[in-house]
Amino acid sequence: MSDNNSYPVRADIAQQAWADETTYREMYQQSVVNPEGFWREHGQRVDWIKPFTRVKDVSFDYHRVEISWFKDGTLNVAANCLDRHLDTRGDQTAIIWEGDDPADDKQVSYRELHEQVCRFANALKSQGIRKGDVVTIYMPMVVEAAVAMLACARIGAIHSVVFGGFSPDAIAGRIIDCNSKLVITADEGVRGGRRVALKKNVDEALTNPAVKTVEKVIVFQRTGGDVEWHSHRDVWWHELTQLASPHCPAEEMNAEDPLFILYTSGSTGTPKGVVHTSGGYLVYASMTHQYVFDYKDGDVYWCTADVGWITGHTYLIYGPLANGGTTLMCEGLPNWPDSSRMSQIVDKHQVNILYTAPTAIRALMAEGNAPIAGTNRSSLKLLGSVGEPINPEAWEWYYKTIGDERCPIVDTWWQTETGGIMITPLPGATALKPGSATRPFFGVLPALVDNMGNIIEGATEGNLVILDSWPGQSRTVYGDHERFVQTYFTTFKGMYTTGDGARRDEDGYYWITGRVDDVLNVSGHRMGTAEIESAMVAHEHVAEAAVVGYPHDIKGQGIYVYVTLNAGIDDSEELKKELRQWVRREIGPIATPDIIQWAPGLPKTRSGKIMRRILRKIAADECENLGDTSTLADPSVVDNLIADRANRR
Ligand code: WT7
């Protein structure tokens, strides 16, 4: 990882970019010296119904954490993404949809999208949904997923999108937590030629007796596959929208009214419902989308993220549409029917900007030149990366093979909680170093602190914190502000704790080193170790489980589980298989353990705390250097685990 391997800004890009280096420096300076003035000016980029007079009302003091932006302004997010473009670009394509089947695609104009959203907004109203109600969306990657989100925004309902890969139990938990009144789903999804039983999963989730609030389920017909029908509750999308009027006024929302809830894993407990509000979120989403991707009118932009993740919210839907952009939505996988699919799509739709994840890049990289076979990708101008640290080898491959050494790469660091990109290069302003997310976006004040919370300066390594608020920041955890405060504002007082570690080099560039808490990043998906552990111990044969991450070539991190069985239960390969299946059913396929090792005992301190540090080392085969083991209650446990590594799988 050489800091000297740097790619200077290309002069021709700097010349026409939204920000060259001087502009970046000036704007950044202004944004941190005078945030009120900066955001008062840039807050104008969205259309307000009632203009704001207040800009920023923020306290990071853990006694009274309060975060508000533009708080006396009113607006409607959907109107900003649709209505305001109709006069100037009504016939322009808003969404290019590419089906799982390469022969399947369509283009939806702003005018068409506006009409679909209005119809569906009326459909939601006809099912009793009002401003402030929570609607759960469990959809495949179809245009209707975007329509559903924007329709909620239009009438002031709060959407909670649940990733289509989550299990019935996970859906149920996410419905119960936010008292959702309605679920929007599809009969089946289609990915990599296979069908995914979405409606069936929702049916099963709703059999959970603790789900008490769901009155209706709206079902979009994607495949026409067989579904069970509960006529008191289930309604077809197409029947509702046929009847609905295409006119629907946009609800006037306060800047601080919630726009959506998105569940994400933390180091403890069940997933948290991260709340994002309307005004600040949209300002930040649209501004980052414009500057980071150097988005210009007419560009075709493709973010490969699923709508079930924050990237799919901010950079598939809200950012690009607020900017009047053309956003490509792909139903399928980047390597199906074969590894050239991603490049084929780039050529087919003349994609200019491609934003994807290191795990996808590494999976393609393993195929050599096959991922670009028969394609030229000459439309590409810019590449983006998100979700986990990108290793320099994958960066170089992305740069050389996909981008033909022509396209800058923006390695964007951010989180569900940050709403938008925080640390990133700007293509016209920042010299690139493979593996570094480089420098902060406007208004972002990153810092490194030691474990005592002291700010450390210069070239150093530490815990990454953010010292002041930015408009896209999450405001609270749904229904549990105390948990929000505990999670993000008490570890290091007066600062936002990211949970990531980072290094800062001599040029002030940030290199994210990964999570410092008990959160895993598996293929760019966040998984709490506690969540997987509690799924494991729910199995009748499991006494105790400890989950750690270990380095994985494609996924970044793999899931490694140490399992202690109940007395009298024999271990077997059969049982390992059953436990894997069990976790898939409890949480979803993304939580499937990669390696299970039987652990008759787990390394604990004398007070009974599991020493994960040691388990991580054993999982990574770094057994020579286990660090301080003097607090272990029973050192022989560790020797046994090391000796028994051969039997893990
Ligand atoms: C965690 C947040 C942000 C959208 C997708 C993930 C890791 C994210 C990078 C990057 C290094 C990254 C961090 C962060 N992460 N982007 N460019 N370089 N690490 O959102 O599920 O909330 O996960 O993903 O560890 O804390 P998320």
Side-chain angles (χ1 to χ4, degrees), residues 311 387-389 411-416 500 512 515 521 526:
T311 313
E388 54 176 310
D411 173 2
T412 61
W413 175 84
W414 58 297
Q415 312 177 295
T416 304
D500 278 319
I512 311 298
R515 303 289 305 196
N521 191 325
R526 217 159 121 173

Side-chain angles (χ1 to χ4, degrees), residues 198-422:
L198 298 174
K199 169 68 160 65
K200 185 164 167 276
N201 286 347
V202 170
D203 286 343
E204 201 178 320
L206 298 187
T207 61
N208 184 318
V211 175
K212 296 196 167 79
T213 46
V214 174
E215 290 162 11
K216 295 283 173 188
V217 177
I218 301 179
V219 187
F220 173 69
Q221 197 168 46
R222 168 64 186 93
T223 65
D226 273 347
V227 290
E228 251 180 51
W229 204 252
H230 306 267
S231 48
H232 67 283
R233 185 195 78 190
D234 299 344
V235 245
W236 284 112
W237 176 294
H238 56 270
E239 288 180 4
L240 279 181
T241 48
Q242 249 159 32
L243 300 173
S245 152
H247 303 286
C248 175
E251 195 74 36
E252 179 170 356
M253 304 298 289
N254 185 271
E256 285 299 336
D257 282 335
L259 177 63
F260 64 85
I261 303 168
L262 189 58
Y263 285 86
T264 193
S265 301
S267 47
T268 56
T270 51
K272 292 183 286 285
V274 169
V275 175
H276 283 288
T277 57
S278 304
Y281 172 79
L282 195 67
V283 167
Y284 200 72
S286 73
M287 187 161 181
T288 47
H289 175 261
Q290 177 190 332
Y291 280 89
V292 175
F293 300 107
D294 198 37
Y295 190 85
K296 307 275 173 42
D297 253 0
D299 281 345
V300 175
Y301 162 90
W302 180 20
C303 164
T304 66
D306 192 280
V307 286
W309 311 110
I310 189 72
T311 313
H313 285 57
T314 308
Y315 297 112
L316 182 68
I317 313 279
Y318 289 115
L321 295 181
N323 290 339
T326 296
T327 182
L328 191 153
M329 180 179 201
C330 179
E331 185 181 41
L333 301 166
N335 54 0
W336 189 87
D338 64 54
S339 66
S340 71
R341 181 74 189 276
M342 200 167 82
S343 304
Q344 300 284 358
I345 294 172
V346 167
D347 282 4
K348 177 179 177 186
H349 298 293
Q350 291 294 290
V351 172
N352 304 116
I353 301 160
L354 171 66
Y355 190 32
T356 192
T359 187
I361 297 164
R362 286 191 301 263
L364 294 179
M365 183 169 77
E367 309 280 322
N369 279 335
I372 55 166
T375 66
N376 65 46
R377 304 162 321 288
S378 59
S379 55
L380 285 175
K381 298 193 296 191
L382 180 70
L383 303 172
S385 172
V386 62
E388 54 176 310
I390 179 165
N391 46 313
E393 301 71 37
W395 195 103
E396 297 282 355
W397 185 86
Y398 194 27
Y399 185 74
K400 297 199 169 106
T401 310
I402 298 293
D404 273 333
E405 301 186 42
R406 195 185 60 247
C407 311
I409 298 179
V410 289
D411 173 2
T412 61
W413 175 84
W414 58 297
Q415 312 177 295
T416 304
E417 296 87 340
T418 69
I421 293 166
M422 300 287 282

Side-chain angles (χ1 to χ4, degrees), residues 1-267:
M1 189 159 63
S2 154
D3 294 4
N4 304 324
N5 183 14
S6 144
Y7 292 78
V9 177
R10 263 176 44 190
D12 57 326
I13 293 179
Q15 209 170 23
Q16 50 76 50
W18 286 111
D20 62 9
E21 181 162 6
T22 313
T23 310
Y24 168 74
R25 277 186 202 288
E26 283 171 7
M27 284 175 74
Y28 183 76
Q29 196 59 18
Q30 192 207 349
S31 75
V32 296
V33 171
N34 178 12
E36 290 266 345
F38 183 86
W39 291 112
R40 184 179 298 282
E41 178 187 342
H42 293 283
Q44 308 303 332
R45 59 182 300 120
V46 308
D47 282 0
W48 297 89
I49 299 171
K50 178 169 158 280
F52 60 86
T53 65
R54 298 198 67 91
V55 175
K56 181 180 176 219
D57 291 270
V58 170
S59 159
F60 275 9
D61 174 350
Y62 74 99
H63 295 105
R64 46 171 195 103
V65 172
E66 194 224 313
I67 303 160
S68 304
W69 286 87
F70 314 117
K71 79 175 184 191
D72 58 353
T74 66
L75 79 167
N76 183 280
V77 169
N80 269 281
C81 291
L82 300 168
D83 307 45
R84 70 163 166 164
H85 304 313
L86 293 182
D87 283 346
T88 48
R89 54 177 94 239
D91 297 320
Q92 184 202 301
T93 301
I95 300 181
I96 301 173
W97 180 76
E98 168 81 7
D100 187 56
D101 178 340
D104 224 1
D105 63 24
K106 67 177 168 189
Q107 317 225 340
V108 184
S109 70
Y110 271 95
R111 204 178 312 287
E112 290 162 341
L113 187 61
H114 176 260
E115 185 185 322
Q116 288 187 39
V117 168
C118 288
R119 277 187 196 277
F120 192 67
N122 283 324
L124 286 173
K125 284 187 187 170
S126 77
Q127 300 307 299
I129 297 302
R130 298 285 174 266
K131 179 173 174 170
D133 288 341
V134 183
V135 171
T136 297
I137 300 178
Y138 184 69
M139 290 279 271
M141 287 284 282
V142 290
V143 171
E144 286 73 12
V147 171
M149 292 161 73
L150 291 162
C152 287
R154 190 164 197 90
I155 63 173
I158 305 164
H159 60 71
S160 163
V161 182
V162 177
F163 173 57
F166 278 124
S167 69
D169 268 0
I171 305 168
R174 286 158 173 76
I175 288 173
I176 295 162
D177 183 75
C178 64
N179 298 316
S180 153
K181 275 180 73 175
L182 183 139
V183 181
I184 305 168
T185 189
D187 49 0
E188 297 174 307
V190 189
R191 284 198 94 198
R194 291 214 295 249
R195 294 184 173 201
V196 188
L198 298 174
K199 169 68 160 65
K200 185 164 167 276
N201 286 347
V202 170
D203 286 343
E204 201 178 320
L206 298 187
T207 61
N208 184 318
V211 175
K212 296 196 167 79
T213 46
V214 174
E215 290 162 11
K216 295 283 173 188
V217 177
I218 301 179
V219 187
F220 173 69
Q221 197 168 46
R222 168 64 186 93
T223 65
D226 273 347
V227 290
E228 251 180 51
W229 204 252
H230 306 267
S231 48
H232 67 283
R233 185 195 78 190
D234 299 344
V235 245
W236 284 112
W237 176 294
H238 56 270
E239 288 180 4
L240 279 181
T241 48
Q242 249 159 32
L243 300 173
S245 152
H247 303 286
C248 175
E251 195 74 36
E252 179 170 356
M253 304 298 289
N254 185 271
E256 285 299 336
D257 282 335
L259 177 63
F260 64 85
I261 303 168
L262 189 58
Y263 285 86
T264 193
S265 301
S267 47

